[in-house]
Amino acid sequence: QVQLVESGGGLVQAGGSLRLSCAASGRTVSNYAMGWFRQAPGKEREFVAGISSVGGRRLYADFVKGRFTISRDNAKNTVYLQMNSLKPEDTAVYYCAVDQIFGTVVRGGGDYWGQGTQVTVSS
């Protein structure tokens, strides 16, 4: 079993930045792809960004390209999401997930999921 705990969410003004972290425990996730997703009130969960197990591949949703950066530190069993130039429409609960297959992550799946962290962007 893998437990995932997200942190770093909060309230920020439009144009500001936040850095989300997702720490894994229970087993090493260095061989897992990892991803970030979000769900806004009344909307379906959507893919935000994904990173392969060794970090060689990264994929972003069009709406975050150029603003968000996903990275990972396998020594710390952690994946990060640096969010810059935040917009009110980025307001959502952000979740991380891991899966052994990169393609599964970018299609919105995952073997394990965190509980989420709230990001609120004020205008």
Side-chain angles (χ1 to χ4, degrees):
Q1 291 288 332
V2 175
Q3 293 79 44
L4 302 173
V5 177
E6 301 95 337
S7 61
L11 174 64
V12 64
Q13 289 188 334
S17 299
L18 284 174
R19 188 193 193 205
L20 305 184
S21 299
C22 173
S25 62
R27 68 169 66 169
T28 180
V29 293
S30 59
N31 293 328
Y32 285 74
M34 304 182 80
W36 286 97
F37 302 80
R38 70 186 188 186
Q39 187 168 20
K43 295 187 177 181
E44 293 187 352
R45 186 175 64 201
E46 59 185 355
F47 169 79
V48 175
I51 188 167
S52 60
S53 59
V54 295
R57 285 185 294 172
R58 305 181 191 194
L59 190 68
Y60 297 93
D62 287 344
F63 54 78
V64 302
K65 283 182 180 177
R67 299 190 298 125
F68 292 9
T69 302
I70 188 171
S71 62
R72 65 188 297 163
D73 184 339
N74 285 339
K76 295 183 178 180
N77 237 18
T78 299
V79 64
Y80 304 97
L81 186 67
Q82 178 66 45
M83 306 187 295
N84 299 327
S85 301
L86 283 161
K87 306 175 181 180
E89 51 264 44
D90 293 319
T91 295
V93 177
Y94 284 72
Y95 300 89
C96 68
V98 300
D99 195 275
Q100 292 185 327
I101 301 173
F102 181 66
T104 299
V105 169
V106 300
R107 285 193 294 270
D111 286 333
Y112 302 100
W113 291 82
Q115 294 299 306
T117 185
Q118 176 70 47
V119 171
T120 303
V121 185
S122 62
S123 57

